[in-house]
């Protein structure tokens, strides 16, 4: 939910020497992303996407680095990053499974499917497996209602899934 | 009367003209072979004002949900002042039941890019941002690739077919969202484009005057812009030969429902998918002619005409005409995106309502209290009713709550709460029996609606 307040005032920031937004990534963003926008702030979303793409999540230290890179206050980037559900401010599994739970998918039997996936992975929605491989989320409409039920695994959309074939898909993942 | 030939689906195999299994990405070369970018070449030879007048004359209405006449939107722009002006393309398709824009982007992205270029020429806009939702990973890549092809073909960039606009080379960029339904609201989209949280803005100023980066901005849906090319090629009269006329006796200022429309059908039908037909076909025609009838031979119970914000069509409204006047005629909010969700006789309407309200409770941006709190409380009430703990007064409370939130009662900035409000009110009005069965089972003592005064 977009408007849940995070305890950003008292959150502890884990720091490390090595920057999350390193020089190579900065150079790439400066060349390919920043020129597309009239203001630096407008690049916030693409830069956060780039950081998350590289590290699989966005640590708080990275938010500070993004803010410094874009000439914004840390709070401004925090404000944006906490609003969007695609941005993970805590680590997630190697595979993020997002099972669509919106109306058409529920009409087509998503509830039973989600239960089977939960049972298979031994986790509840919002949790990550012990080995850090899978994070399970229930997502709102993924925009593929004609092939409901659907689930997104990282960037790949699986359509018309059944519990059995989706279990096999999960088994086949590295 | 069915459409004589496919228009937006010209290059995308769609029944009855083709098999959806043959769908494949139309590359630039294939696009050019089939009259691709001819409309753009014709448009750039025409005075920009005449292009706007043509779109105005065609009475093309926005396909993104609100149905606002596109030509009129374009004419709201202030005169040029030499500084930047923007086009934002709304591809943040997140309304449950809607997947038509995904089909265009998946298979024929150039029809969209051509429409974008024509709009940039007509409205003198130098920079276009295609705002695509974060969950559309593959589609964003397809678009990126198509945009690169278009740059190579000089649609955008240096030495563009468009020439210089506002003293600049026209540019087109793909901007990815990050999983927020509210960013499909036009001003929230602009906020998100500017790198902020997607909170809708108070209007006025309208985006045409002060939009992205406080500059004049036009925001159009993917399907609307894709429709512009065919209109430029074939003319306004051709476009107006399809669809339905304005209601009898209505003045010419009332927009009619002309042209073809993409209908995305999902739910309990045999062949769900995106189909193209004239505006004004009936729901029964859509289900029986295009979708192969109801799944498993079941009976029709209800349908949502255009994304869950638009309310519901009842069992007796199987023959409802799907055009922009559907709202008044059949007691729902409107045609919306024409993403039709069909439910059969076995559907639990209470559970469906709970699902719909959960969506709005989840996606409310939290800016306005009636929406943030109202949707959450409606979700709690509906969960209680679904689990058998509801009372008859809960139903009245639901109606009271729903009626108090939204931009139409004037309590919120944007229309998200109106979606929740109309969904709940129309479902409760048309299927009150289903709800009463649930609550009557329980022998709860009814409490007054307002317990403490």
């Amino acid at each position: 939910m977009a408007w849940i307040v995070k305890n950003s005032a008292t959150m502890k920031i884990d720091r490390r020497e090595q920057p999350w937004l390193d020089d190579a990534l900065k150079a790439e963003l400066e060349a390919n992303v920043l020129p597309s926008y009239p203001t630096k702030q407008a690049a916030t979303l693409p830069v956060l996407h780039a950081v998350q793409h590289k590290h699989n999540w966005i640590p708080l230290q990275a938010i500070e680095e993004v803010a410094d890179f874009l000439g914004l206050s840390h709070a401004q980037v925090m404000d944006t990053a906490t609003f969007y559900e695609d941005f993970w401010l805590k680590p997630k599994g190697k595979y993020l499974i997002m099972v669509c739970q919106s109306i058409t998918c529920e009409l087509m039997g998503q509830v039973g499917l989600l239960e089977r996936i939960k049972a298979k992975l031994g986790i509840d929605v919002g949790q990550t497996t012990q080995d850090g491989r899978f994070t399970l989320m229930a997502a709102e409409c993924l925009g593929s209602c004609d092939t409901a039920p659907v689930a997104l695994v990282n960037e790949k959309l699986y359509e018309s899934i059944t519990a059995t074939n989706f279990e096999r898909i999960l088994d086949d993942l590295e | 009367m069915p459409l004589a030939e496919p228009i937006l689906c010209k290059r995308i195999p769609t029944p009855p003209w083709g098999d959806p299994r043959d769908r494949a990405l139309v590359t630039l070369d294939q696009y050019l072979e089939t009259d691709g970018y001819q409309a753009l070449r014709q448009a750039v030879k025409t005075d920009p004002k005449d292009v706007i007048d043509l779109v105005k004359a065609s009475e093309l209405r926005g396909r993104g949900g609100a149905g606002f006449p596109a030509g009129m939107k374009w004419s709201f722009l202030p005169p040029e002042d030499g500084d930047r002006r923007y086009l934002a393309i709304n591809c943040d398709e997140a309304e449950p039941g809607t997947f038509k824009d995904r089909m265009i982007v998946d298979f024929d992205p150039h029809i969209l890019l051509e429409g974008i270029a024509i709009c940039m020429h007509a409205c003198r806009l130098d920079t276009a941002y295609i705002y695509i939702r974060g969950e559309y990973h593959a589609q964003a890549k397809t678009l990126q690739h198509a945009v690169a092809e278009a740059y190579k073909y000089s649609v955008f960039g240096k030495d563009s077919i468009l020439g210089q606009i506002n003293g600049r080379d026209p540019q087109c960029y793909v901007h990815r969202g990050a999983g927020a339904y509210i960013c499909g609201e036009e001003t929230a989209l602009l906020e998100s484009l500017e790198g902020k949280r997607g909170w809708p803005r108070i209007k006025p100023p309208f985006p045409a005057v002060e939009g992205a980066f406080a500059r004049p901005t036009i925001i159009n849906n993917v399907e609307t812009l894709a429709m512009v090319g065919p209109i430029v090629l074939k003319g306004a009269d051709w476009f107006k030969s399809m669809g339905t006329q304005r209601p009898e006796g209505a003045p010419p200022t009332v927009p009619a429902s002309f042209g073809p429309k993409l209908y995305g059908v999902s739910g309990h039908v045999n062949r769900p998918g995106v189909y193209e037909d004239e505006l004004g076909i009936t729901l029964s025609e859509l289900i029986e002619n295009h979708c192969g009838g109801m799944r498993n031979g079941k009976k029709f119970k209800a349908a949502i005409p255009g994304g869950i914000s638009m309310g519901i069509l009842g069992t007796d409204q199987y023959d409802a005409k799907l055009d922009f006047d559907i709202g008044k005629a059949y007691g729902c909010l409107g045609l919306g995106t024409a993403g039709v969700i069909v439910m059969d006789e076995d559907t639990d309407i209470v559970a469906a309502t709970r699902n719909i309200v959960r969506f709005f409770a989840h996606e409310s941006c939290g800016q306005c209290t009636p929406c943030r709190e109202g949707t959450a409380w409606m979700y709690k009430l509906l969960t209680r009713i679904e689990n058998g703990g509801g009372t008859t007064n809960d139903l009245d409370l639901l109606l009271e709550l729903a009626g108090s939130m939204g931009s139409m009662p004037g309590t919120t900035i944007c229309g998200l709460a109106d979606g929740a409000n109309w969904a709940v009110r129309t479902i409760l009005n048309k299927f009150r029996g289903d709800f009463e069965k649930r609550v009557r089972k329980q022998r709860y003592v009814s409490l007054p609606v307002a317990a403490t005064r």
Side-chain angles (χ1 to χ4, degrees), chain A residues 3 36-38 41-42 49 79-80 82-86 101 103-104 106-107 140-141 143-146 155, chain B residues 86 97 99 102 129 133 141 173 175 177-178 192-198 266 268 272 354-355 358-359 362 364:
Chain A
W3 41 270
S36 312
Y37 301 98
Q41 185 173 16
H49 271 306
D79 187 49
T80 303
T82 49
F83 183 80
Y84 297 95
E85 287 179 23
D86 275 6
Q101 60 170 350
I103 177 96
T104 308
E106 182 164 338
L107 287 174
E140 292 298 348
C141 193
S144 188
C145 311
D146 50 344
E155 298 192 355
Chain B
Y86 299 99
F99 45 95
R102 185 186 57 124
Y129 292 102
R133 64 180 300 199
K141 281 182 194 138
Y173 304 109
H175 181 94
S192 181
L193 179 62
E194 291 179 10
K196 303 169 191 162
R197 48 173 53 206
S266 61
H268 298 147
R354 182 259 307 142
N355 183 303
R358 182 189 58 208
F359 176 83
H362 184 255
S364 170

Side-chain angles (χ1 to χ4, degrees), chain A residues 5-14 60 78:
Chain A
V5 180
K6 278 104 182 157
N7 59 341
S8 41
T10 51
M11 255 188 238
K12 263 199 129 171
I13 302 181
D14 289 326
L60 292 174
M78 189 68 182

